[in-house]
Amino acid sequence: MAVTIDVVYQGDLRCEAVHGPSRTRLHTDAPVDNQGKGESFSPTDLVATAIGTCMLTLMGMAAARRGIVMTGATARVEKHMVADPLRRIGQLPVVITLPSLLDPETRQLLERAALTCPVFNSLDSRIDKTVTFRYPQ
């Protein structure tokens, strides 16, 4: 099934995107380090956001199938840009923090689910993507 996203350039390096099925609106702005005002997500920020939300969503699906509660799990994604030879995302380290009361088998199941993220697996191999899973004590 295809999903349509309609994007309109609004001027001043800003765009508005409309998600076809839900009609939800999202705004982007160029980052301060690339001629923008940085007043909203940049397009490359959305790539980082997509990885974090995708991984947690897939983990949530796996958890729900087994009755595992992972509410409150978090993902932190850092986006590092490089400029040589072209401006692009260079690194996307991801840290996923999960509830501490998970047995080793459940941890492995959830970690495997996260690594099936289609966003993560669709990105250029030149992007350094490291994933760390944390389980607080």
Side-chain angles (χ1 to χ4, degrees):
M1 177 178 122
V3 173
T4 301
I5 311 294
D6 294 310
V7 181
V8 176
Y9 181 71
Q10 297 182 315
D12 294 325
L13 308 180
R14 297 174 185 200
C15 293
E16 178 182 69
V18 180
H19 179 249
S22 70
R23 306 309 297 163
T24 300
R25 296 176 184 280
L26 172 82
H27 296 91
T28 64
D29 190 10
V32 173
D33 69 345
N34 198 26
Q35 306 174 42
K37 295 180 181 177
E39 293 177 345
S40 189
F41 289 92
S42 74
T44 54
D45 291 344
L46 293 177
V47 173
T49 303
I51 286 176
T53 57
C54 181
M55 289 181 144
L56 287 178
T57 299
L58 289 168
M59 294 171 83
M61 289 175 182
R65 284 192 296 270
R66 289 167 179 79
I68 300 164
V69 176
M70 59 169 266
T71 303
T74 64
R76 174 168 287 209
V77 184
E78 287 183 12
K79 179 195 73 172
H80 300 268
M81 300 296 290
V82 295
D84 186 32
L86 298 171
R87 184 172 168 83
R88 65 176 179 82
I89 299 170
Q91 295 179 341
L92 287 168
V94 181
V95 176
I96 296 175
T97 304
L98 292 155
S100 60
L101 300 176
L102 298 175
D103 62 72
E105 182 181 330
T106 300
R107 290 179 180 191
Q108 184 178 27
L109 170 86
L110 295 176
E111 290 176 14
R112 274 197 314 262
L115 296 176
T116 66
C117 166
V119 175
F120 183 82
N121 290 306
S122 295
L123 294 175
D124 190 297
S125 61
R126 293 175 296 170
I127 298 173
D128 178 15
K129 305 171 301 214
T130 58
V131 182
T132 304
F133 296 94
R134 291 194 177 149
Y135 300 91
Q137 299 302 324

